[in-house]
Amino acid sequence: MTEPRFPSLALHIGGRWITRAGGGERIVVDPSDESALGVLPLAGADEIKLAAETAAAGFQIWRRKLAHDRYVIIRRAADLMRQRADEIARVLTLEQGKPLSESKREVTLSADIVDFQAEEGKRLYGRTVPPRIAGMLSQTVLRQPIGPVAAFTPWNFPANLPARKLGSALAAGCSVVIKPAEETPATCMLLVQCFLDAGVPPEALNMVCGDPAEVSSTLIAHDAIRKASLTGSVVVGKLLGRQCAERVKRFTGELGGHAPVIVCEDADLGLALKSSLAAKYRNAGQVCASPIRFYVHRKHYAAWAEQFTAGARALRLGPGMDPATQIGPLVHERRVEEMERFVADALDQGARALCGGKRAARRGWFFEPTVIADAPATTMVQRIEPFGPIAVIEPFDALDEAVVKANALPYALGAYAFTRDLVTAHRLSEEIEAGMVGINHFGVSQPEMPFGGWKESGIGQEMGAEGLLHYTEIKTVLIGVPA
Ligand code: NAD
């Protein structure tokens, strides 16, 4: 018997997988050819509430396990993700569109993230503090799991983003209700199955899809839920942040960015070009820390414009399942329309498209790799995250000028620079306002390092030792000697 092309879709609520739910259904589509992949059941209000109640029951089971036992289970889940990486990557590419090699890397990195968080779960240390009052036996500061968490993840990294939230929440002893993007639910389903097969109690891990606004507002309002964690747009981040603030619930938001890249006069131009092309067009630019604004020293600007454009033009567009593909489709039709709006607005304001600028003449939601020059600061592309395969290039003369422009937007997630000078590298890492700065490198997303934004790009971090702490509460305990 041959394997089915795509798993049959289900939600994990009340400790079991369900294939029919009260909120109707939605077709999941392959963005490379617009064909239907499967039918996703959508949770109605009762099922969303049941997911929250189940997570409350699951929390009581999971938090009572020894930290070491949780560690063993979560490590096992990471191993299962590695064992199943080929299948998970295939499903990821089908529903999201990125090249299969990128999906494979995403799944193995996701397993590494889960591993690291499992390890850190054993190190949720408290503190003992010398008492200042006579008759006090001990004064301790404890870190305890925050409680059931509502997690919301988008479609651009259907494995990595759920892995960050599930790995951290579970390692800290929390239970979860996760809502992956309705465009890419199957990858999350397969991840949830790894955790369940590894031994996470089914009540502690719930997965719902539905109307995003209804799911998030219902979960955040539910008494059982103690924290919400979102990766998504700034607009949705502000909305969920406000809903959490109303109830004084904890909130972590990994939101959008508009990453600058400063290519200094002394940069290794070969390295800067090669790595910038790879980083810009990875996942067709649908990456929150994707480089967008390239400020290039005037001495190199003409060469950069020519070579970066030639590199972008040479990228092979195609379905992610084709091994020759370097850049896949956008996730849905409205992202293509959005790219068209960015380009039209830039051209209207006097900018030039050095390459691309239009949808590709083929079936599926493809947009050509695009490079824009001479875009005034008032254009959409200079101010708003395109979240697609569009780069803006601009010359600068003095480094101070480039730093001012890099810091000019209300977003501050990733930022990058290329220089051979250590003093400049230190100066830029100090002066650039961003949650993550990469000098001569774009790889700022590492399991061991905190990932998060400043300004409107977010609140809190994920991954690294810091990531886990956001799933805990602090408790001050004083024990006096009985009389
Ligand atoms: P969208 O706002 O419709 O959806 C973005 C994501 O947010 C989806 O996963 C969706 O399910 C979720 N979402 C939307 N409303 C929600 C709500 N009320 N509660 C909970 N989740 C909700 O738009 P889109 O066209 O899919 O993407 C638009 C923009 O979103 C992009 O331009 C980009 O800036 C941003 N985005 C950011 C990230 C990131 O990694 N930070 C990822 C995906 C999208």
Side-chain angles (χ1 to χ4, degrees):
M1 228 172 68
T2 52
E3 285 286 308
R5 180 170 179 241
F6 199 67
S8 64
L9 296 167
L11 306 178
H12 195 257
I13 302 176
R16 63 192 182 93
W17 288 107
I18 57 165
T19 52
R20 296 172 81 85
E25 53 190 36
R26 154 183 187 141
I27 307 290
V28 175
V29 176
D30 178 343
S32 74
D33 63 7
E34 301 167 48
S35 65
L37 290 168
V39 181
L40 174 68
L42 302 177
D46 289 346
E47 284 132 350
I48 302 169
K49 284 183 192 134
L50 177 61
E53 284 156 16
T54 311
F59 179 56
Q60 296 308 328
I61 303 168
W62 187 238
R63 79 183 181 96
R64 288 189 163 81
K65 280 202 184 294
L66 295 173
H68 185 267
D69 293 345
R70 287 199 294 259
Y71 155 79
V72 170
I73 291 172
I74 299 169
R75 287 285 318 258
R76 200 182 293 140
D79 287 341
L80 290 174
M81 286 166 66
R82 288 192 190 93
Q83 282 167 28
R84 299 173 189 177
D86 286 340
E87 172 59 3
I88 301 173
R90 193 182 66 79
V91 167
L92 195 166
T93 288
L94 281 175
E95 64 181 2
Q96 199 269 348
K98 68 181 63 169
L100 190 58
S101 56
E102 283 186 33
S103 298
K104 187 76 187 288
R105 272 199 301 280
E106 179 176 339
V107 176
T108 49
L109 185 68
S110 302
D112 291 352
I113 292 168
V114 170
D115 254 347
F116 183 85
Q117 294 298 321
E119 282 283 351
E120 286 300 299
K122 291 187 293 187
R123 301 185 191 108
L124 281 174
Y125 302 134
R127 252 179 329 134
T128 61
V129 179
R132 63 178 292 153
I133 308 169
M136 195 65 71
L137 200 59
S138 67
Q139 290 189 162
T140 47
V141 182
L142 304 181
R143 276 201 180 270
Q144 297 197 320
I146 206 162
V149 173
F152 306 97
T153 53
W155 39 260
N156 55 336
F157 287 95
N160 183 307
L161 301 173
R164 289 181 189 190
K165 298 192 196 299
L166 296 178
S168 312
L170 292 168
C174 299
S175 59
V176 188
V177 181
I178 186 165
K179 187 200 84 61
E182 284 66 27
E183 290 86 354
T184 57
T187 308
C188 186
M189 250 179 67
L190 298 180
L191 252 56
V192 167
Q193 193 61 58
C194 291
F195 282 97
L196 296 173
D197 291 347
V200 170
E203 299 84 355
L205 184 40
N206 297 263
M207 175 182 138
V208 297
C209 289
D211 169 56
E214 185 192 2
V215 176
S216 55
S217 59
T218 308
L219 286 177
I220 291 170
H222 199 287
D223 285 344
I225 299 295
R226 298 307 322 153
K227 176 199 167 92
S229 175
L230 164 82
T231 301
S233 64
V234 174
V235 174
V236 175
K238 288 179 181 175
L239 178 75
L240 301 202
R242 272 197 297 275
Q243 291 173 1
C244 286
E246 282 281 313
R247 294 170 172 81
V248 199
K249 292 192 177 178
R250 309 302 184 248
F251 177 64
T252 299
E254 304 294 348
L255 311 177
H258 203 296
V261 183
I262 301 177
V263 181
C264 298
E265 187 175 4
D266 66 352
D268 175 340
L269 218 58
L271 170 74
L273 266 165
K274 187 166 177 257
S275 49
S276 294
L277 278 164
K280 173 66 243 175
Y281 297 107
R282 180 169 78 106
N283 201 10
Q286 304 169 114
V287 180
C288 53
S290 179
I292 298 169
R293 294 170 285 148
F294 290 84
Y295 300 113
V296 183
H297 191 274
R298 196 173 296 277
K299 189 172 119 187
H300 302 305
Y301 185 70
W304 183 275
E306 191 191 319
Q307 292 171 37
F308 191 82
T309 304
R313 203 179 270 130
L315 291 171
R316 285 187 65 149
L317 242 75
M321 298 304 286
D322 179 346
T325 291
Q326 292 171 300
I327 176 165
L330 301 186
V331 78
H332 44 59
E333 170 76 21
R334 72 172 182 276
R335 299 300 318 150
V336 178
E337 290 162 3
E338 192 67 8
M339 293 308 105
E340 289 174 333
R341 269 195 289 280
F342 273 98
V343 173
D345 168 78
L347 300 187
D348 279 355
Q349 296 195 47
R352 292 179 297 133
L354 303 186
C355 68
K358 56 186 192 307
R359 63 172 72 209
R362 57 180 300 153
R363 199 171 156 76
W365 298 318
F366 292 91
F367 197 82
E368 292 182 353
T370 300
V371 181
I372 293 191
D374 306 332
T378 48
T379 51
M380 279 167 69
V381 75
Q382 291 276 28
R383 296 180 294 110
I384 304 167
E385 183 182 32
F387 219 67
I390 304 181
V392 199
I393 61 170
E394 188 175 328
F396 73 87
D397 294 297
L399 197 54
D400 285 347
E401 177 201 338
V403 172
V404 168
K405 285 188 172 171
N407 289 343
L409 297 185
Y411 313 110
L413 189 65
Y416 312 94
F418 286 84
T419 176
R420 283 192 168 98
D421 181 34
L422 266 181
V423 176
T424 308
H426 277 278
R427 181 184 153 197
L428 289 173
S429 61
E430 276 286 322
E431 291 184 8
I432 292 179
E433 294 170 2
M436 294 153 311
V437 177
I439 308 278
N440 299 324
H441 208 280
F442 286 98
V444 293
S445 175
Q446 306 287 341
E448 301 80 8
M449 302 290 280
F451 186 102
W454 288 12
K455 302 202 251 182
E456 294 191 15
S457 287
I459 183 161
Q461 297 82 26
E462 289 190 311
M463 305 199 292
E466 291 81 357
L468 204 63
L469 301 183
H470 292 294
Y471 290 91
T472 65
E473 286 282 27
I474 284 176
K475 186 182 276 176
T476 292
V477 180
L478 297 93
I479 300 181
V481 184

